[in-house]
Amino acid sequence: MKQLTKAEEQIMQALWETGPAFVKDIIEVMPEPKPHYNTVSTLIKILIEKGFVDFKAYGKSHQYFALITKDAYSHKTVNNIVKGYFDGSFSNMVSFFVKEKELSISELEKLVQSIKDAQKPKS
């Protein structure tokens, strides 16, 4: 999976939020300052080339939709960060956030509980 630029990622966030949408709908949910219509159109064409977006034509209008889920992209992105910055270790990543005081004890306890819950056998 290819990396997205920040601008491309903003378009994807908008599509994940709205579902299938026309360019004007995508612009509506984007943060201020709103990008120009032509800018969004160009970014969507790039996303189509990268295989992240496709469209359905309605005459001259196009309705765009994401080909990849937010969860799938998030998973790949986090794995790339862990590989690139934390020697492939999620433990190193968590330790980093604890050292930087970005993760509190209560948040760490919730994380441990989530791990325990995920490892419980399903009935």
Side-chain angles (χ1 to χ4, degrees):
M1 181 184 309
K2 296 179 180 178
Q3 281 295 115
L4 297 177
T5 66
K6 185 175 180 176
E8 293 166 350
E9 197 169 304
Q10 284 182 328
I11 301 293
M12 290 303 298
Q13 292 286 354
L15 277 173
W16 288 323
E17 183 180 331
T18 63
F22 297 94
V23 172
K24 65 178 181 60
D25 303 321
I26 294 168
I27 294 169
E28 276 181 29
V29 298
M30 293 184 74
E32 293 291 343
K34 304 283 188 194
H36 191 270
Y37 186 97
N38 291 342
T39 302
V40 173
S41 293
T42 300
L43 288 167
I44 289 172
K45 286 176 187 167
I46 292 167
L47 289 167
I48 290 170
E49 289 171 12
K50 286 185 173 184
F52 283 86
V53 172
D54 205 352
F55 65 90
K56 185 172 182 182
Y58 295 95
K60 291 184 179 181
S61 296
H62 293 89
Q63 186 180 44
Y64 300 97
F65 55 91
L67 291 174
I68 183 167
T69 66
K70 185 175 184 177
D71 285 344
Y73 183 72
S74 298
H75 180 78
K76 184 67 173 171
T77 301
V78 168
N79 281 337
N80 286 342
I81 290 169
V82 171
K83 284 179 190 172
Y85 294 97
F86 301 104
D87 300 322
S89 169
F90 283 92
S91 177
N92 288 349
M93 183 179 75
V94 171
S95 294
F96 170 81
F97 286 111
V98 169
K99 287 176 191 168
E100 294 295 316
K101 300 195 180 3
E102 299 289 334
L103 190 63
S104 70
I105 300 268
S106 65
E107 290 171 320
L108 194 54
E109 288 169 347
K110 288 178 188 175
L111 183 59
V112 169
Q113 187 59 50
S114 294
I115 293 168
K116 287 179 181 177
D117 290 345
Q119 292 178 344
K120 287 181 184 174
K122 305 226 180 202
S123 311

